[in-house]
Amino acid sequence: MQLYKRGKYFWVRFTVNGKQYREGTKEVTKAAAGTRATEIINRVQGGKPRAAIHGAPTLAEFAGGWFTEWVKSNARLAFKSREYYLYGLLLLRNQKIMSMRIDAISAEDADMIRVAGSPSTHNTALRTLRRMLNLAAKRGLVSKAPAISLLEENRRTLLVEPDAEQRIADELTRPGRRRGSLKTALYMILDAGMRPKEICSMRIEDVNFDRGFVYVPKSKTRAGARFLALTDRMKEKLFAQIGARTEGYVFPSPRFDGSPIKSQALTAAWRKACKAAGVSPDLKLYCARHTFGTDAMSASKNPFVVMKAMGHTELRTTERYQHHDILELGAQMNERNRKRAVN
């Protein structure tokens, strides 16, 4: 027996004599729905069925019912994995594949999924779909889960070098431009390593100019809640951005009252600024965060401090920013070779 919610009511799905059935319980609480579901099953077993389900559920039914419940209640599933799959469900929500029967989905159907954002974001949706189909196969709803291929994820290796930073900053402050928010956001990423979405959701109440820090209450990971130091230019730009306001979002939406600016607006403005400044389109806004991690690691030589500042949950994620130390090691080997005078 499987209880799942559609709208405000719980539905029950069950099998009797090899036939699948589903029926609405007309109950809004899980406890009451469980009692009603037992009555429904007893009625069907007594030879008074309503409508049998021919075939497997749709992906939307499976996702909104059993899979969501499994993600939220599975004690063996790590917190990070739960958030990952719930985000994947959001990405899949408006995809055509959600209306397909789960046993009719093929690898070709998965290839038709289109998710805005990076290959990593796209793969979040694909991995969630793959997990759902594998679990459906274990439950006997699918004879065999299709082999879903992921997109190739290119690691961000580009840095925001001083020349590119200056050209973009000049473009953002050129007379007639209305991109002051982007310049403030750029410095928040370059100087504190904040994620673009963290910047968009930042509130004035979380900025402390007197003590020189900003608090990030919620982020992508459990370690995302953290305090970050404000550099002098961050203070200057934030002070101008906030003005006389005492509460609300630091970057309010210009279109919707009470809402923050969307991260897509920042990335779109970044692309326009890079194009106008003659900077390579391969340089993404997120590269500024990569630049912070690289420079912070090179300056501090302390991966634990950098891990905390960037909101990483695992040290191995932070260790990707140690390549400057590798370059320094190469320079030290060159010096050693010169002293040895060996050609």
Side-chain angles (χ1 to χ4, degrees):
M1 181 183 76
Q2 173 197 351
L3 281 174
Y4 61 96
K5 212 167 188 180
R6 292 182 63 185
K8 66 177 183 178
Y9 295 116
F10 278 90
W11 284 60
V12 60
R13 178 186 295 277
F14 57 96
T15 303
V16 175
N17 297 328
K19 291 185 178 181
Q20 291 188 44
Y21 297 84
R22 80 164 164 247
E23 188 169 327
T25 66
K26 296 185 179 180
E27 299 290 348
V28 296
T29 65
K30 194 169 184 180
T35 302
R36 177 61 182 152
T38 301
E39 296 174 359
I40 293 172
I41 295 173
N42 290 337
R43 188 196 70 225
V44 174
Q45 289 175 337
K48 298 179 181 179
R50 198 163 287 180
I53 301 172
H54 300 288
T58 65
L59 183 61
E61 290 172 337
F62 184 76
W66 187 85
F67 183 72
T68 299
E69 184 67 23
W70 177 84
V71 170
K72 292 182 176 180
S73 62
N74 189 347
R76 299 179 62 183
L77 199 62
F79 176 83
K80 186 176 181 180
S81 298
R82 282 200 290 271
E83 293 223 322
Y84 187 90
Y85 289 131
L86 291 175
Y87 180 51
L89 287 176
L90 285 176
L91 296 174
L92 289 168
R93 181 175 52 186
N94 297 321
Q95 299 292 325
K96 291 183 178 180
I97 199 172
M98 296 297 283
S99 62
M100 294 182 63
R101 271 179 29 187
I102 200 167
D103 60 346
I105 295 174
S106 66
E108 289 72 22
D109 295 315
D111 291 339
M112 298 301 292
I113 292 174
R114 294 292 179 268
V115 175
S118 67
S120 176
T121 302
H122 194 112
N123 284 342
T124 300
L126 293 179
R127 287 192 179 97
T128 303
L129 173 63
R130 188 163 64 181
R131 188 63 182 260
M132 282 194 287
L133 294 177
N134 285 331
L135 289 172
K138 290 181 179 180
R139 291 176 61 85
L141 299 176
V142 176
S143 58
K144 183 180 179 181
I148 296 176
S149 300
L150 302 178
L151 300 184
E152 182 179 356
E153 298 183 20
N154 299 318
R155 291 180 59 182
R156 298 180 181 89
T157 57
L158 290 178
L159 301 179
V160 181
E161 302 293 354
D163 176 65
E165 180 184 342
Q166 187 62 61
R167 288 158 64 186
I168 293 171
D170 290 343
E171 171 61 27
L172 295 176
T173 52
R174 198 151 58 88
R177 296 297 184 192
R178 299 175 60 186
R179 297 173 182 164
S181 295
L182 177 58
K183 188 170 184 179
T184 306
L186 174 59
Y187 290 160
M188 297 295 291
I189 303 174
L190 280 173
D191 293 10
M194 294 183 70
R195 298 179 175 93
K197 287 188 176 180
E198 294 173 345
I199 292 172
C200 293
S201 61
M202 184 168 56
R203 297 187 63 85
I204 295 172
E205 298 92 318
D206 295 325
V207 180
N208 191 318
F209 287 108
D210 294 333
R211 296 196 175 188
F213 67 77
V214 59
Y215 177 60
V216 181
K218 186 178 180 181
S219 185
K220 180 180 177 181
T221 65
R222 284 179 294 177
R226 62 201 189 277
F227 290 93
L228 298 171
L230 293 174
T231 62
D232 291 341
R233 65 177 182 176
M234 285 170 64
K235 290 180 181 179
E236 177 186 349
K237 294 299 178 184
L238 279 175
F239 193 80
Q241 175 70 28
I242 294 172
R245 293 181 295 143
T246 58
E247 61 181 16
Y249 291 106
V250 174
F251 300 96
S253 170
R255 299 176 58 190
F256 305 104
D257 291 339
S259 298
I261 192 173
K262 300 294 184 182
S263 59
Q264 293 90 331
L266 288 181
T267 54
W270 170 266
R271 286 194 299 269
K272 292 179 181 178
C274 286
K275 183 177 181 180
V279 174
S280 171
D282 293 333
L283 189 69
K284 310 299 183 184
L285 178 60
Y286 212 89
C287 291
R289 177 171 157 86
H290 181 77
T291 303
F292 168 82
T294 301
D295 292 344
M297 185 72 77
S298 178
S300 68
K301 303 294 191 298
N302 190 333
F304 293 99
V305 171
V306 179
M307 178 179 72
K308 187 174 181 180
M310 299 195 73
H312 290 157
T313 55
E314 297 181 359
L315 186 59
R316 64 182 179 180
T317 305
T318 311
E319 288 174 343
R320 294 181 302 176
Y321 300 99
Q322 285 185 315
H323 45 261
H324 267 202
D325 292 342
I326 300 300
L327 297 178
E328 291 178 7
L329 182 60
Q332 292 170 1
M333 292 301 100
N334 283 333
E335 181 63 23
R336 182 205 66 179
N337 295 340
R338 281 193 292 271
K339 290 181 179 180
R340 289 186 176 184
V342 177
N343 294 323

